[in-house]
Amino acid sequence: MQDAYGREINYARISITDQCNLRCVYCMPAAACVSAEVLRPQQRQVPQDTYLSAAEILRIGTVFADLGIHDLRVTGGEPLVRSDAVDIVRSLKKIPDIRRVALTTNGQLLGNMAASLKPAGLDGINVSLDTLDAVAYRSITRGGDLALTLAGIDAALAAGFSPVKVNCVLLDRDRRDDALGIAALARDRDIRVRFIEMMPIGMGVNFAGVSGGEVRNILEEAYGPWEPAGAADGSGPARYGRFQGFREAIGFISPLSDRFCGKCNRIRLSSTGFLRSCLHGEAGINLRPALEQQDDVQLRDDIVSAVNSKAAGHRFSITADGQEQAEQAGPGAAPAFMSQIGG
Ligand code: SAM
Ligand code: SF4
């Protein structure tokens, strides 16, 4: 379906939980449950029973498909901490007219789950990985085990996900070696690497990040020219290209330095049932009432309303010194956490 600006909306990111087994420093606060003193009410962690059930997610997915939103990504929080994650993937994939179901994960639990996600119908896996240094990984994720995520990537490749995509967010310019190491995964294995700019969302406001252009310069110094690929390399926000001798492409997703809102095709469903039309701001609609009333006509109307509320673009900006910030331009300008939005 089209939004008010004529953009084709055909992709939904579905967060199935806002809980996570990691606490990445730029994503979540250190504490599992954040107190009211720190956060606004809508940002608090929620009791387990307020998450959408697998059946509710299936109902929403069915209406999405009916509206032409046929490309889904299951995310979180960490989606694989939810015990019915594989069942959710399986049921979404069975919806007629759903073309693709993919998953974004930190990979900590993937080693044991990749083999069951493949037969469940999962089409693609993105693993978030910001460094190949085990000590830095533990520090950035506040306790994560790099070996587990690497084992998860191995298991995904062995299960037949090819390529596996790795998403890397660099904290700042000091993490130059991380960029080189992560990029080398695309040189040596069937791993497509994407560098994503740090956004001023959640704890991301505390980090400078590195622009896509700067990461490209760092990589070009080591690996030679990055040759941009043609349009065939995907319709999403990533700009892909290749370094000579690399097996896989390297992409840059640069929402701040290379704003792609004009081509945005997505909406985001939170794990509690709020359908958000943009990463930034709080425009959207709570689908819970329609779900509770078992009213699929209302559900459809609500989804259409949310799509129609989609803004022309985000209001993140880059300051003169290169720092990213969220413009505080009225109600809804302050962003929540990626783990709650469904990053
Ligand atoms: N837990 C899963 C994972 O880490 O892949 C899925 C959810 S996580 C919120 C999805 C992605 O959001 C991760 O790749 C993470 O790096 C990214 N992310 C979180 N906070 C961010 C921020 N402030 N700016 C840019 N990306 C961010
Ligand atoms: Fe968890 Fe993903 Fe956020 Fe890291 S980025 S804290 S793994 S939700």
Side-chain angles (χ1 to χ4, degrees):
M1 66 172 293
Q2 288 199 340
D3 73 0
Y5 297 92
R7 292 171 296 198
E8 195 63 39
I9 305 303
N10 53 24
Y11 174 55
R13 296 179 73 99
I14 299 180
S15 171
I16 63 172
T17 178
D18 66 357
Q19 306 292 309
C20 188
N21 46 359
L22 299 181
R23 290 275 174 282
C24 300
V25 288
Y26 57 85
C27 178
M28 280 200 182
C33 287
V34 192
S35 73
E37 291 77 41
V38 181
L39 296 175
R40 295 173 297 147
Q42 64 270 37
Q43 292 178 332
R44 281 181 223 146
Q45 301 271 327
V46 289
Q48 196 70 30
D49 63 358
T50 66
Y51 293 123
L52 294 175
S53 67
E56 287 170 326
I57 293 169
L58 175 61
R59 274 181 68 198
I60 295 171
T62 306
V63 181
F64 279 165
D66 201 37
L67 288 168
I69 300 166
H70 40 61
D71 203 350
L72 306 179
R73 176 166 300 275
V74 174
T75 179
E78 172 49 42
L80 297 184
V81 302
R82 195 166 150 158
S83 57
D84 54 358
V86 177
D87 296 333
I88 290 171
V89 166
R90 186 181 297 107
S91 68
L92 289 173
K93 185 63 185 177
K94 278 190 185 148
I95 300 171
D97 293 333
I98 287 296
R99 214 174 45 193
R100 184 176 158 82
V101 179
L103 177 91
T104 298
T105 172
N106 61 34
Q108 292 283 288
L109 300 173
L110 190 56
N112 288 332
M113 296 179 75
S116 38
L117 285 162
K118 189 71 181 168
L122 190 71
D123 295 292
I125 294 186
N126 291 10
V127 179
S128 302
L129 182 58
D130 302 332
T131 177
L132 290 178
D133 175 325
V135 175
Y137 184 84
R138 186 170 290 280
S139 158
I140 292 170
T141 60
R142 294 200 185 93
D145 183 348
L146 176 67
L148 288 178
T149 290
L150 295 180
I153 292 173
D154 290 346
L157 288 167
F161 293 100
S162 183
V164 169
K165 289 183 188 163
V166 161
N167 292 342
C168 175
V169 177
L170 294 175
L171 300 191
D172 53 43
R173 295 183 181 114
D174 292 344
R175 305 235 53 95
R176 183 179 177 279
D177 289 351
D178 293 340
L180 297 175
I182 297 278
L185 295 173
R187 180 189 61 200
D188 304 332
R189 307 186 70 185
D190 292 330
I191 295 176
R192 189 169 299 176
V193 172
R194 293 114 56 86
F195 291 94
I196 303 176
E197 284 178 348
M198 178 77 69
M199 285 182 275
I201 295 179
M203 311 313 279
V205 294
N206 300 323
F207 296 91
V210 190
S211 73
E214 286 177 87
V215 180
R216 178 176 163 180
N217 289 340
I218 291 169
L219 300 184
E220 286 193 323
E221 274 174 28
Y223 300 127
W226 175 84
E227 300 292 348
D233 263 304
S235 57
R239 287 185 194 268
Y240 284 110
R242 289 201 182 239
F243 291 102
Q244 204 173 13
F246 275 46
R247 289 166 75 121
E248 258 300 335
I250 301 267
F252 298 97
I253 302 179
S254 311
L256 294 137
S257 66
D258 180 22
R259 163 189 283 256
F260 41 72
C261 302
K263 290 186 287 183
C264 185
N265 65 344
R266 62 195 56 190
I267 51 175
R268 295 169 193 265
L269 178 66
S270 84
S271 55
T272 58
F274 190 84
L275 188 61
R276 190 183 278 262
S277 57
C278 177
L279 246 187
H280 191 203
E282 284 156 14
I285 200 155
N286 184 6
L287 302 182
R288 261 284 157 76
L291 285 170
E292 278 161 14
Q293 287 155 24
Q294 310 273 326
D295 186 347
D296 281 0
V297 174
Q298 186 63 48
L299 189 58
R300 186 187 165 97
D301 287 351
D302 287 348
I303 294 169
V304 170
S305 298
V307 169
N308 284 330
S309 75
K310 201 167 158 59
H314 66 66
R315 298 196 302 275
F316 300 133
S317 64
I318 300 185
T319 58
D321 65 355
Q323 295 278 334
E324 301 141 9
Q325 64 176 21
E327 294 167 21
Q328 300 297 315
F337 295 99
M338 285 290 267
S339 53
Q340 293 171 312
I341 300 168

